[in-house]
Amino acid sequence: MARPAGVSDDDADSGVGSRATIIDVAAAAGVSRQTVTRAVNGMPGIAAATKERVLAAAEALGYRPSRFGRGLVTGGTHQLGLVVDDLRNPYSPALAAAVLRRAAGRGWNVMLADVGLAGDSDRSVQDLGLQSDVVIGHLGDRAAEWIGLLGPVPVVELDPAGPTVRGGVRFDPAAAVEDLADHLVAVGVEHPVVLDVAGAAGGPSHRGTLVVDALRRRGRAPETVVCSAPSAEAGAIALAGVLAGGRPVDAVVAFNDVVALGALGAGRRAGLDVPGDMRVVGVDGLPLGALVTPTLTTLAVDLDEVAGHAIDLALGMLAGSVPRSGPEAQRTVRHRLLVRGSA
């Protein structure tokens, strides 16, 4: 039988793991391959009830039409989709660089969707899923919605905000926070401030809560200030407000490195010496922290390790060697305290 338009050899034999084929879907739904093609590509000439039956069979089997058959890419290269929140935040390009390095070593291309800058983030995620074999990235509070838009494509969330729907690489700063609290107490900090960013449902972030709890257990009473955004500008504004109120501040622990850099600048503009008068600490371990003066103390996470775990999970899920959800589809990367000039 001739292969219908829009269906390539890749639909019959993907060559990547063990995927359901168009033939499997046609058999399950009791229709022809041409009818499957029309249903999954939204083409006319198919009854609504038949289309619903085909799509249900495709979902149950985890079938996705080949990108190659739809002409979205050329050749035999496989595509990894990466979701980032905002490329203006230095964290996002640092993560993208790590993913690109790891993916290139496996012979994969990377397509990126910036949901923070996209005019229509839902459409951006959906399009990424249509053009990718696997998807990894930061999905945040909208993980369940966006995974629904991605369909059966294997998904690995990075630093998930809650329980994962599919796979996940969790970031665990707990041990590094304890090390930081010990360090701050050892160097004589008495009046710390935590510059946090709102977490799920508008409450404190997980990392902010860990820092506050660790300092309180050591007899310190940190003030928490919620920044309007995880940005340098927001960090500078937040700390300037604290300093204007006259409260003594001898240490700032920021939600991330970028907020910490904003606090560093605000402290200098207020005439404070860092680290003499005030110590400053960030989270993430971004390369730019080593380029400022004083260099930034941080709770560093190895983004290369993150990218490696995420890609290994995603490709394992695609090949069928890793379940697409559950404990076996989870990994954890731990932060480490990196003491530099600012603390």
Side-chain angles (χ1 to χ4, degrees), residues 83-306:
V83 179
V84 298
D85 185 47
D86 189 339
L87 281 169
R88 294 170 299 183
N89 183 332
Y91 172 85
S92 292
L95 171 65
V99 171
L100 284 164
R101 284 194 299 270
R102 286 284 187 150
R106 306 289 289 268
W108 282 62
N109 285 335
V110 176
M111 176 174 286
L112 183 144
D114 186 331
V115 294
L117 297 179
D120 185 341
S121 58
D122 289 350
R123 178 62 181 272
S124 180
V125 169
Q126 189 170 37
D127 287 348
L128 185 69
L130 290 172
Q131 300 177 64
S132 303
D133 296 292
V134 298
V135 172
I136 67 175
H138 289 274
L139 306 183
D141 295 338
R142 300 197 61 192
E145 293 176 67
W146 283 340
I147 287 174
L149 292 175
L150 289 168
V153 61
V155 180
V156 178
E157 292 182 66
L158 302 182
D159 199 17
T164 55
V165 181
R166 303 270 179 90
V169 177
R170 296 189 177 278
F171 298 0
D172 183 4
V177 166
E178 296 296 323
D179 291 341
L180 172 63
D182 285 339
H183 172 73
L184 293 179
V185 170
V187 297
V189 167
E190 296 288 344
H191 307 289
V193 169
V194 176
L195 297 185
D196 201 6
V197 172
S205 71
H206 175 61
R207 63 180 64 170
T209 299
L210 289 175
V211 172
V212 170
D213 288 349
L215 289 170
R216 283 177 176 167
R217 281 188 275 105
R218 289 161 176 81
R220 304 303 184 267
E223 177 181 353
T224 299
V225 179
V226 178
C227 300
S228 60
S231 67
E233 180 182 12
I237 291 171
L239 182 60
V242 173
L243 296 176
R247 184 190 189 283
V249 179
D250 58 6
V252 172
V253 182
F255 175 80
N256 63 18
D257 286 349
V258 180
V259 171
L261 292 176
L264 189 64
R268 282 179 167 175
R269 287 189 290 276
L272 298 177
D273 175 71
V274 177
D277 300 319
M278 180 181 73
R279 292 170 170 83
V280 178
V281 181
V283 179
D284 286 335
L286 300 181
L288 60 80
L291 303 179
V292 297
T293 302
T295 52
L296 183 64
T297 295
T298 184
L299 305 185
V301 63
D302 187 339
L303 291 180
D304 193 61
E305 182 183 0
V306 169

Side-chain angles (χ1 to χ4, degrees), residues 61-87:
L61 293 170
Y63 169 74
R64 298 177 65 239
S66 170
R67 294 180 298 107
F68 310 106
R70 294 197 303 271
L72 295 173
V73 298
T74 60
T77 303
H78 304 300
Q79 193 95 338
L80 182 148
L82 173 63
V83 179
V84 298
D85 185 47
D86 189 339
L87 281 169

